[in-house]
């Protein structure tokens, strides 16, 4: 008990309403109870016969979220240990589905004799999460295989720079070089500004080049639970066109870490199991409910239970209220910063695109010349925080529902 007390005393308390960092917040009582249930049963959701209830919960909750994203009645998915793992599984599945020979022969693009594909290329915005780069490394493609597409003034991917023939022709030029574009990542809620890429427009370009469309909605995907946000914004317009979609309930919905979903409209078991499974017949016996067959790993924590219990208790409206309260808090903070411009506070974007309120603080003794010089040096690229000797200071406050 003394060790536990010291651990609590010296740890960060994410339950505190002043915790405003890293795109997540404290859990809720249902989350604590669900973690206790998982710990008591010590369930493993890799095969059905050791975790039948947990498995069915995962199937039902991923199908329900997929339907909210307009993925249709065949939607479903898998739970992964974090958003980065979900993005990796999405890219892994896309490659195996589009180029199944790689699963046996390895990655052998042209000019290798008989190769059916050129060097594989990934397209994502310059503001996307670093997990896309990490996934390319893990899969042996390397970060040079990633083409970073510019963003507009709000941080959204510029679709006109992605593939239209009469403009920059990023994708067409890639094809002309003998490369094979195969994976396009759209971000629903970027890390710094909270920008939402135009999914529907990106989907049109992706399909022209027979690319897999993935949406990294780790942060912003949870807005689908807010009826008002869905009706008044186009943030998730076109989500049903995605081949895969990452959504992390642990970031905004009060579900405890970790809880990340990879969703698809393509009959989840058929897609993931057929693309990724191996003939491990000592473990998998053809049961369509053996969810572990479609993943990269083996043992699986039943994280879907946390989402299932929370949704059962709070309902969609309860989740939506959390999102709406966070959006209201972000709007209030934006107004506060806007009204203090004479005190050296300047918003990066007004209004703030989502739940991140980004602003500079410029001490009063700095001249306008120094301000313009410094802002030009910072440019469009924003960091989480700047060194204390770097003026002006950049701040990013993440608004979550209990904040």
């Amino acid at each position: 008990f003394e060790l536990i007390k010291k651990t609590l005393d010296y740890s960060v308390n994410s339950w505190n309403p002043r915790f405003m960092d890293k795109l997540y917040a404290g859990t809720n009582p249902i989350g604590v109870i669900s973690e206790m249930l998982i710990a008591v049963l010590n369930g493993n959701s890799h095969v059905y016969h050791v975790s039948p209830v947990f498995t069915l919960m995962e199937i039902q909750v991923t199908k329900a979220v997929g339907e909210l994203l307009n993925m249709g009645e065949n939607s479903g998915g898998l739970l992964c240990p974090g958003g980065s793992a979900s993005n990796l599984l999405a890219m892994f599945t896309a490659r195996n589905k589009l180029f199944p020979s790689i699963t046996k022969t390895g990655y052998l693009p042209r000019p290798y004799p008989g190769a059916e594909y050129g060097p594989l290329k990934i397209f994502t915005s310059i503001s996307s999460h670093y997990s896309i780069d990490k996934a390319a490394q893990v899969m042996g493609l390397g970060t040079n295989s990633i083409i970073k597409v510019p963003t507009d003034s709000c941080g959204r991917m510029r679709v006109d720079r992605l593939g239209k023939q009469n403009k920059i022709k990023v994708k067409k030029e890639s094809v002309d070089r003998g490369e094979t574009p195969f994976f396009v990542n759209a971000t629903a809620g970027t890390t710094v500004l909270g920008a939402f890429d135009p999914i529907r427009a990106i989907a049109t370009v992706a399909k022209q080049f027979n690319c897999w469309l993935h949406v990294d909605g780790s942060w912003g995907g949870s807005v689908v639970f807010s009826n008002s946000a869905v009706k008044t914004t186009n943030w998730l317009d076109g989500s049903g066109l995605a081949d895969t979609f990452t959504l992390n309930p642990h970031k905004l919905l009060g579900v405890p870490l970790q809880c990340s979903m990879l969703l698809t409209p393509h009959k989840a078991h058929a897609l993931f199991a057929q693309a990724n499974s191996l003939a491990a017949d000592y473990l998998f016996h053809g049961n369509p409910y053996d969810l572990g067959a479609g993943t990269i790993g083996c043992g699986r924590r039943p994280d879907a239970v946390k989402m299932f219990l929370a949704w059962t208790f709070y309902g969609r409206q309860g989740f939506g209220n959390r999102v709406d309260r966070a959006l209201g808090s972000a709007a209030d903070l934006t107004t506060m910063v806007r009204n203090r411009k004479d005190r050296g506070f300047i918003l990066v974007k007004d209004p703030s695109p989502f739940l991140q309120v980004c602003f500079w603080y410029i001490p009063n003794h700095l001249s306008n010349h120094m301000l313009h010089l410094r802002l030009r040096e910072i440019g469009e690229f924003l960091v989480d925080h700047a060194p204390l000797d770097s003026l002006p200071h950049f701040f990013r406050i993440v608004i979550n529902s209990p904040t």
Side-chain angles (χ1 to χ4, degrees), residues 55-79 225 261-265 267-268 304 307-308 311:
T55 298
L56 295 177
M57 285 181 172
E58 181 166 352
I59 291 172
Q60 291 301 317
V61 79
T62 54
K63 177 179 176 62
V65 177
E67 290 177 344
L68 286 182
L69 291 168
N70 295 317
M71 288 184 165
E73 61 182 13
N74 290 324
S75 60
L78 294 171
L79 272 286
F225 286 91
M261 298 179 170
L262 181 62
L263 306 160
T264 181
K267 292 186 178 180
M307 180 61 176
F308 189 96
W311 195 339

Side-chain angles (χ1 to χ4, degrees), residues 192-193 348-349 358-360 378-385 394-395:
V192 179
L193 286 180
V348 175
K349 297 296 176 187
C358 299
F359 58 91
W360 286 288
I378 293 177
E380 293 184 359
F381 180 75
L382 304 174
V383 293
D384 221 0
H385 56 83
F394 171 75
F395 295 88

Side-chain angles (χ1 to χ4, degrees), residues 1-17:
F1 280 106
E2 182 63 26
L3 179 58
I4 291 174
K5 182 178 183 300
K6 287 184 177 180
T7 300
L8 293 172
D9 289 342
Y10 289 98
S11 295
V12 173
N13 180 11
S14 62
W15 287 73
N16 192 296

Side-chain angles (χ1 to χ4, degrees), residues 16 40 69 85 120 220 234 242 294 301 304 306 315 327 363 365 372 375 383:
N16 192 296
V40 168
L69 291 168
L120 298 181
N234 61 353
R301 199 168 187 271
K306 296 177 285 189
L327 290 169
H365 65 271
H372 293 308
L375 296 187
V383 293

Side-chain angles (χ1 to χ4, degrees), residues 51 80 99 110 121 145 158 162:
S51 294
C80 298
F99 309 103
R110 291 187 296 263
K121 292 294 178 178
S145 67
R158 287 187 55 183
L162 179 63

Side-chain angles (χ1 to χ4, degrees), residues 65 68-70 187-190 194-197 199 215-237 239 245-249 251-253 307 316-328 353-356 399-400:
V65 177
L68 286 182
L69 291 168
N70 295 317
T187 306
T190 57
F196 287 76
D197 290 339
I199 300 172
V215 177
D216 180 9
S218 298
W219 172 227
S222 293
V223 300
V224 75
F225 286 91
S226 167
N227 282 319
S228 60
V230 170
K231 291 178 180 178
T232 59
T233 72
N234 61 353
W235 287 337
L236 296 180
D237 178 46
S239 59
F245 191 112
T246 295
L247 189 151
N248 289 3
K251 290 188 181 296
L252 187 55
L253 300 182
M307 180 61 176
R316 181 185 179 184
Q317 183 176 352
F319 283 152
N321 290 341
R322 290 181 63 95
V323 176
D324 293 339
R325 182 168 60 180
L327 290 169
F354 187 43
L355 297 177
Q356 294 96 301
I399 305 299
N400 223 309

